[in-house]
Amino acid sequence: MATRLRVTAAAIAALIALAISAAPAAAETPIRVEDSKATLFQGSVTPFTGTLRDNTGASHATGKSTALGALVAASRGAKPFTLDLGWFDGLGGGWAGFYLAGVNGRTPPSNAFGALKVDQKLTSVGLGGQTVGDKANVLVYYTTTDPETFATEPTLGIGTSATTVAAGGRVTITVSQYNDAGTKSAAAGAWILVNGHQRVQTGMTGTATIRLANAGQFRIKATKAGAIRSRKLWVTATSSS
C-alpha cells in the first residue's frame, strides 16, 4: 500500500509539473503612450492585474487584462513614469471607475485629457473597463478637444515600402490619420522624421520618399500640427560591400 501511495503521489507531481510547463505564457499587449511633448512608451507588455489605489487612497481590484493594466505595466518599465488615477463611482466593479487624471506629473487643463484608442478607434469605455489581448493595439494619448464637436485630435499611423534597403537606396513612407471613429485618410503635410530630424513633408496622398545615404538602422516617425505623432518604425540600410 505504501508503495502504491508513493507511486500515486509521484504521478500527481509529474502531472502538476507538466501542467505548469504546458501553461501558455501571458499574452503581451502592444501599447504606445503619448504625452503632449514626447512618446513615453512604445512596446508590448503583459498587463498588470491585481489591486490599484486611486488618488484618494481607496483600493480597487481586478483579474481582467485591461488597457489600464497595460498602461500600468508600461509605466513600470525601463523608463518609468508616474500615473495619477482618479475614480468615478457607479461605473461598475473591478477597475471600471478609474480615469487618467495625470501622466508623468502633468495634469491636463479642462480642454484636454488622456484619451484611449484601440486599433486607432476611440473607445466608449475607460481604461479600466477596456479589456485587451495580444491582438489589440492600445494608444493612450494626451489630447485637446474641439470646442464644438468635442472630437480629439487625429492620430497618425505610419508605414514603409520596405524595412531593409541598400545604403543609398530610397524608401517610401506612407502617413495616415485617423479620427475618433477610426476612419482613415491621407495625412498630407505631415513631417517625416529620421533619427529625430525633419527630412521631408508628405504630399496630398500622405506619402514621401526619403533616401538613406549611409548604412545603419534608422528610426522613422511622423508628426503633423494638430495631430498626435505616429509610432516609430525602423528601416535598415545595408552596406553594399
Side-chain angles (χ1 to χ4, degrees):
M1 177 66 71
T3 300
R4 184 178 299 172
L5 287 174
R6 285 197 295 271
V7 171
T8 302
I12 292 174
L15 288 172
I16 292 173
L18 180 63
I20 291 173
S21 64
E28 289 198 336
T29 297
I31 180 172
R32 180 160 52 96
V33 184
E34 296 289 349
D35 196 8
S36 60
K37 296 183 178 181
T39 301
L40 296 180
F41 185 88
Q42 177 181 318
S44 293
V45 299
T46 300
F48 171 79
T49 58
T51 301
L52 287 175
R53 294 181 184 273
D54 62 32
N55 53 13
T56 69
S59 297
H60 311 273
T62 188
K64 295 180 178 180
S65 179
T66 65
L68 177 56
L71 176 60
V72 170
S75 74
R76 297 174 178 178
K79 296 182 178 179
F81 52 91
T82 59
L83 300 175
D84 183 13
L85 300 175
W87 180 265
F88 283 127
D89 282 324
L91 294 181
W95 287 355
F98 276 117
Y99 67 92
L100 197 56
V103 178
N104 209 30
R106 185 187 305 275
T107 301
S110 59
N111 68 331
F113 67 106
L116 169 65
K117 280 188 172 182
V118 175
D119 296 328
Q120 292 287 10
K121 183 177 181 180
L122 194 70
T123 63
S124 58
V125 297
L127 285 158
Q130 179 65 54
T131 56
V132 296
D134 59 348
K135 305 300 183 184
N137 285 281
V138 175
L139 173 61
V140 180
Y141 61 107
Y142 179 103
T143 178
T144 59
T145 53
D146 186 289
E148 296 182 0
T149 67
F150 302 106
T152 73
E153 296 171 273
T155 51
L156 298 182
I158 190 171
T160 177
S161 60
T163 56
T164 303
V165 296
R170 298 179 183 275
V171 63
T172 298
I173 305 299
T174 300
V175 185
S176 304
Q177 61 187 37
Y178 298 82
N179 63 12
D180 288 353
T183 303
K184 178 181 177 181
S185 60
W191 279 102
I192 305 298
L193 278 64
V194 179
N195 291 341
H197 301 288
Q198 289 182 349
R199 288 285 291 271
V200 65
Q201 276 188 303
T202 58
M204 293 303 295
T205 61
T207 61
T209 299
I210 57 174
R211 178 174 178 269
L212 302 177
N214 304 312
Q217 193 173 48
F218 296 87
R219 184 180 72 254
I220 298 175
K221 66 190 310 178
T223 63
K224 182 181 178 181
I228 306 303
R229 64 186 69 84
S230 77
R231 68 182 176 93
K232 62 184 176 185
L233 54 80
W234 299 89
V235 175
T236 300
T238 59
S239 173
S240 57
S241 59

